[in-house]
Amino acid sequence: MSSASPAAAPDVVLVVDFGAQYAQLIARRVREARVYSEIVPSTMPVAEMLAKNPKAIILSGGPSSVYAEGAPRLDRAIFEAGVPVFGMCYGFQLMATTLGGTVDNTGAREYGRTPLHVSKTGSTLFEGTPAEQPVWMSHGDACSAAPEGFTVTASTDVVPVAAFENDQKKLYGVQHHPEVMHSTYGQQVLEHFLYRGAGIEPTWTTGNVIDEQVEAIREQVGGKRAICGLSGGVDSAVAAALVQKAIGSQLTCVYVDHGLMRKGETEQVEKDFVAATGVQLKVVDAQERFLGALAGVSDPEEKRKIIGREFIRVFEQAQAEIIAEAEHGEDVAFLVQGTLYPDVVESGGGSGTANIKSHHNVGGLPEDLEFELVEPLRKLFKDEVRMVGQELGLPDEIVQRQPFPGPGLGIRIVGEVTKDRLDLLREADAIAREELTAAGLDRDIWQCPVVLLADVRSASACRVTLGYGHPIVLRPVSSEDAMTADWTRMPYDVLAKISTRITNEVADVNRVVLDVTSKPPGTIEWE
C-alpha cells in the first residue's frame, strides 16, 4: 500500500458489539475494504457513538434472543440520526423490532451454511451477486415482517424476511453473517453497504497509519527519551521501527538474550533489524543467569514465573544503564509497547495509562515501573501490523515471523531446561522451519511449535544407535487470531522430510510425532 501525506483522522465505521464472536472479524473485513473501523460496546450511549462522527454504523450479531430478558437494546435515535446503519443477525432483528417490524420466536432455527434466495438482485446490497447464494446462518428467531418503508430483498426456506433495505433512510439488514468466509458473497455485500449505501470512499491505508502515528508519537514524546523491550517478534519490532521513524536516536531498544530463542533469531535481531531501522540496540547477554535460575525446574508455571522474574530484573538493570549513559541526564520517560487492537478490545477498551500490562511484549514488567506508554499499533490487527512492517522496510524474516511465546523455548521443553536440551530443540526447530519454508507453507500455517519431550524416552531400532531417544512433537496450527485453532493438514511428503531430517541430523532424537488436536480443547503451546 502506498504512503499518504498527513491528513485528518480517517472516516470511521463503528461496529457495535452485541456479544458476537465475530465482532472483531467484522471490523477486520471493513478494514480489508480500505475503510477504517472501530468496535464499541452496545452499552455505549448513542450520543457517544454519534459524537465520534461515524460515517456508518454496523450492528453485530450476538447470542441473545431479542425476546430474552436483559437482552441488549439500542436507542431508536441511532436509526434517526441520518447515519447509514447495517444490521447483521441479532443487529438485523434488533433493527426490525425497534422500527416496528415483526420478529417471531418460532423455534425455526438455522445454523451453518444455508441457501439464500435473493428476490431483488439489483438492490443496493445484492447487485451483481447471484439470486441463489450460500450464506452462514446462526439464529433461532426469525423476521416475518419488515418495518414500514423497507423493501424485502431476500428470504430462505425458513425465514420470509432474510434481508431488507431502506435506501431513503440508508438502513440495511441481513439475517446472515456476511463477515465469515462461508458466506460466499459476504465481502461483496459488505462493500456494497460501505461504498453504495454509506457512500464511503475506500481510502484508508497503512500509509495513513504510519503518517498519523509518526505525527502523534512526536507530539507525545517531545524531546524526551523512550525505551522498547524488543522480543524479536513482529509486534515489538514494528512498534519499535515506527517509533524510530518518528523520534530517531531518542529511542533505545533493549534485547534480552536469555538463551531461550530459536536458532539464528538473536543474530537476526542484532543485524537485520538494526540494518533496516538504524535503531540504537542494547543487547544484554543473560543466558547463564536464566539457565542458572531454571536449573532443576520442570513445572511449566514455575518456569514461566522464573523467566518473567529474571526478565524484569535484567530489563530494570538495562534501564538504569541507559539513563546513566544518556547525555545531560535525559529522562527515559516512555515505554514502547506492541499492543494490538484485539488486546485493547479484550481488555475493555484500554486507556493507555502508565500501568504496564503483565506478560505483554516486554515479558511482564512490574507495575512500579512508571513509564508513560507509547502504543503505536493499538488500532491495528496482526495482518495490518505486518503490512506496516513491510512498508517500513523490515525484512520478511521479521515481518512474517510466526508468533513465538515470551518465555521462548523454555516452555517448549517438557521437563527441565538445560543448555543441551535447548541446543537439541533449536536444531529440530530449525529443520522444521526450513522445510516449511521450502514447501511454501509459511503463510498457510499460523504457528508451528516444535516441542521436545525431554522427560520421555523411547526405544531406538537403529543398530548403530541402540538405546533410547527423545520424541519431538510437531504442532502446526491454522488460525486467524489464536483464540481458536485447528491443526494444519500438511502434505505427507513434507512431514516425512521433516521427520527424516530430524531423526537423521539431531542427536538423541529418534521419533517425530504429529499433534492433531484443535483449540479447544488443547492450547497451541504445550506448556
Side-chain angles (χ1 to χ4, degrees), residues 13-18 23 26-27 29-30 35 37-40 49 54-61 74 78 83-88 91-92 95 172 178-179 190-191 193-194 200:
V13 171
L14 297 184
V15 178
V16 182
D17 183 6
F18 289 100
I26 296 171
R29 296 294 184 245
V30 173
V35 175
S37 62
E38 289 183 3
I39 301 171
V40 297
M49 294 183 194
K55 293 297 182 182
I57 295 172
I58 296 176
L59 310 180
S60 84
L74 201 59
I78 200 169
V83 178
V85 181
F86 185 16
M88 301 177 179
F92 165 73
M95 180 186 291
Y172 306 87
E179 72 275 20
L190 175 59
E191 290 179 2
F193 166 70
L194 297 171
I200 301 173

Side-chain angles (χ1 to χ4, degrees), residues 68-81:
E69 185 177 349
R73 296 285 183 259
L74 201 59
D75 192 325
R76 183 186 179 100
I78 200 169
F79 303 114
E80 299 171 342

